[in-house]
């Protein structure tokens, strides 16, 4: 395999990047921006070597504990469970949550052979028993995310730990006639 083919093949592994997009990126970098290509290579190498998982919450971190877990001003009574570091980052950008996190690094998917052991449920339950008063289940609203939230809620309830689920509703700025029926139905049920 040539170096060009290897570059295109490597770019195709990124989510949402097909053969043509990978070729376009490779040709652009080689023809117009070799400095950016070198910077990208260095950033990828450094990230691969330096970024690990936080020992406490499993998000990405260059240190043993991530910035959030190392912050003593967070509310230790709250633990928010998310599927990925990207989900955690999205919640952090809202600046409306001041508790700690637990990143599952996935969600239950029996068809793909992903069970409770694969997403760290045992570690989550142990963490929740460390003085946590509420576990917020912030998994996605897909079938797998809903199943994951259900299994976690049952396991937490069995241990006497309160869990809540993120609310669903009509997006701000949207017109009701364009919102999908499932979202409208959940908004009606969960109204306050």
């Amino acid at each position: 395999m040539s170096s060009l083919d290897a570059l295109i093949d490597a770019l195709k592994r990124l989510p949402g990047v097909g053969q043509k997009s990978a070729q376009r990126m490779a040709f652009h970098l080689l023809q117009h921006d070799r400095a950016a290509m070198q910077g990208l290579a260095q950033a990828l190498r450094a990230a691969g070597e330096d970024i690990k998982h936080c020992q406490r919450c499993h998000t990405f971190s260059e240190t043993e504990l991530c910035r959030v877990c190392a912050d003593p001003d967070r509310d230790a009574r709250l633990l928010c469970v998310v599927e990925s570091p990207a989900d955690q980052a999205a919640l952090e950008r809202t600046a409306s949550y001041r508790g700690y996190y637990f990143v599952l690094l996935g969600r239950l998917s029996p068809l793909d052979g992903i069970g409770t052991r694969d997403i760290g449920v045992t570690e989550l339950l142990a963490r929740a028993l460390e003085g946590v008063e509420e576990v917020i289940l912030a998994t996605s609203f897909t079938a797998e995310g809903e199943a994951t939230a259900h299994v976690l809620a049952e396991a937490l309830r069995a241990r006497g730990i309160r869990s809540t689920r993120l609310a669903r509703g009509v997006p701000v700025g949207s017109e009701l006639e364009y919102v999908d029926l499932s979202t409208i139905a959940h908004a009606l049920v969960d109204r306050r």
Side-chain angles (χ1 to χ4, degrees):
M1 179 182 286
S2 73
S3 295
L4 177 59
D5 290 335
L7 175 59
I8 292 169
D9 188 55
L11 291 169
K12 280 191 331 191
R13 294 176 186 214
L14 295 172
V17 177
Q19 179 70 27
K20 287 186 178 185
S21 294
Q23 279 181 322
R24 222 176 0 261
M25 287 183 226
F27 291 150
H28 172 80
L29 289 169
L30 290 167
Q31 186 173 355
H32 299 292
D33 207 349
R34 288 199 177 230
M37 186 171 68
Q38 293 301 321
L40 179 61
Q42 290 172 354
L44 287 169
R45 185 174 297 108
E49 293 171 0
D50 298 340
I51 298 175
K52 312 285 188 270
H53 289 284
C54 172
Q55 289 186 354
R56 190 151 192 239
C57 75
H58 301 148
T59 197
F60 295 129
S61 179
E62 291 185 35
T63 57
E64 190 174 303
L65 290 180
C66 69
R67 173 186 51 78
V68 172
C69 287
D71 183 352
D73 294 329
R74 304 291 285 212
D75 188 346
R77 298 170 299 164
L78 298 174
L79 184 65
C80 183
V81 178
V82 295
E83 294 176 6
S84 70
D87 295 338
Q88 178 190 0
L91 284 169
E92 278 296 287
R93 282 193 303 274
T94 70
S96 61
Y97 176 71
R98 294 296 302 157
Y100 290 104
Y101 294 93
F102 188 90
V103 181
L104 294 171
L105 299 175
R107 57 184 166 224
L108 296 177
S109 181
L111 294 176
D112 296 321
I114 300 172
T116 56
R117 287 187 182 142
D118 302 306
I119 62 171
V121 172
T122 303
E123 294 100 323
L124 168 62
L125 295 174
R127 176 93 185 274
L129 290 170
E130 297 174 357
V132 171
E133 294 177 12
E134 178 185 359
V135 175
I136 302 166
L137 302 173
T139 57
S140 62
F141 292 106
T142 62
E144 293 90 354
E146 291 283 1
T148 302
H150 176 75
V151 167
L152 294 177
E154 291 298 316
L156 290 162
R157 184 177 321 134
R159 286 158 181 79
I161 301 167
R162 177 175 174 248
S163 69
T164 57
R165 183 85 166 105
L166 283 185
R168 296 179 266 203
V170 179
V172 173
S174 65
E175 296 184 32
L176 205 54
E177 68 181 292
Y178 300 114
V179 176
D180 67 277
L181 298 178
S182 176
T183 299
I184 294 171
H186 281 101
L188 280 169
V189 170
D190 297 336
R191 72 186 181 280
R192 51 182 167 119

